[in-house]
């Protein structure tokens, strides 16, 4: 029981920080958009490339070796999404996984 609570807390904790990262990416894109007087969004692929291009290439090679279709059909389109959308979705999913289910007090057993 305690282990389950700890794992749920870990999912909520990581989800919260990833969601916060998505919000920060949204603020950065908003600031760039205001400065450029046009809509500017940063794709996740661009952000990953600027942080660590070698890890992006290693990940692409590893996924392509396991399932050649996965990079082109699944991961590639996800990396073309704006960074804030990808981080927000991942954060919300992790928070939902860690959510504690509460039984309704009106539920009949």
């Amino acid at each position: 029981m305690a282990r389950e609570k700890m794992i749920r807390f870990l999912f909520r904790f990581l989800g919260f920080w990833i969601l916060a990262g998505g919000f920060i990416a949204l603020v950065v894109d908003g600031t760039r958009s205001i400065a450029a007087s046009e809509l500017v969004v940063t794709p996740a692929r661009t952000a990953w490339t600027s942080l660590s291009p070698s890890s992006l290439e290693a990940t692409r090679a590893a996924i392509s070796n396991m399932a050649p279709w996965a990079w082109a059909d699944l991961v590639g389109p996800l990396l073309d999404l704006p960074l804030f959308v990808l981080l927000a979705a991942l954060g919300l999913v992790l928070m939902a996984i860690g959510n504690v289910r509460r039984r309704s007090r009106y539920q009949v057993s």
Side-chain angles (χ1 to χ4, degrees):
M1 188 68 152
R3 174 176 258 175
E4 180 181 324
K5 287 182 181 182
M6 185 172 58
I7 291 173
R8 285 184 187 269
F9 170 77
L10 181 64
F11 275 118
R12 287 192 313 264
F13 183 77
L14 288 174
F16 174 76
W17 283 106
I18 292 173
L19 184 63
F23 182 71
I24 290 169
L26 177 65
V27 169
V28 168
D29 283 348
T31 304
R32 288 181 181 163
S33 295
I34 290 170
S37 296
E38 64 182 14
L39 182 62
V40 176
V41 292
T42 305
R45 183 185 314 267
T46 303
W48 193 352
T49 301
S50 63
L51 286 175
S52 177
S54 60
S55 69
L56 176 62
E57 184 57 33
T59 304
R60 187 201 60 76
I63 291 174
S64 294
N65 286 339
M66 288 190 301
W69 57 268
W71 185 262
D73 296 338
L74 185 66
V75 179
L78 284 177
L79 289 177
D80 291 334
L81 290 173
L83 180 62
F84 70 89
V85 171
L86 191 63
L87 289 177
L90 179 62
L92 289 173
V93 165
L94 288 175
M95 290 175 75
I97 290 172
N99 192 18
V100 179
R101 290 187 181 180
R102 298 215 166 106
R103 297 184 82 175
S104 172
R105 61 182 186 194
Y106 303 111
Q107 186 176 5
V108 178
S109 298

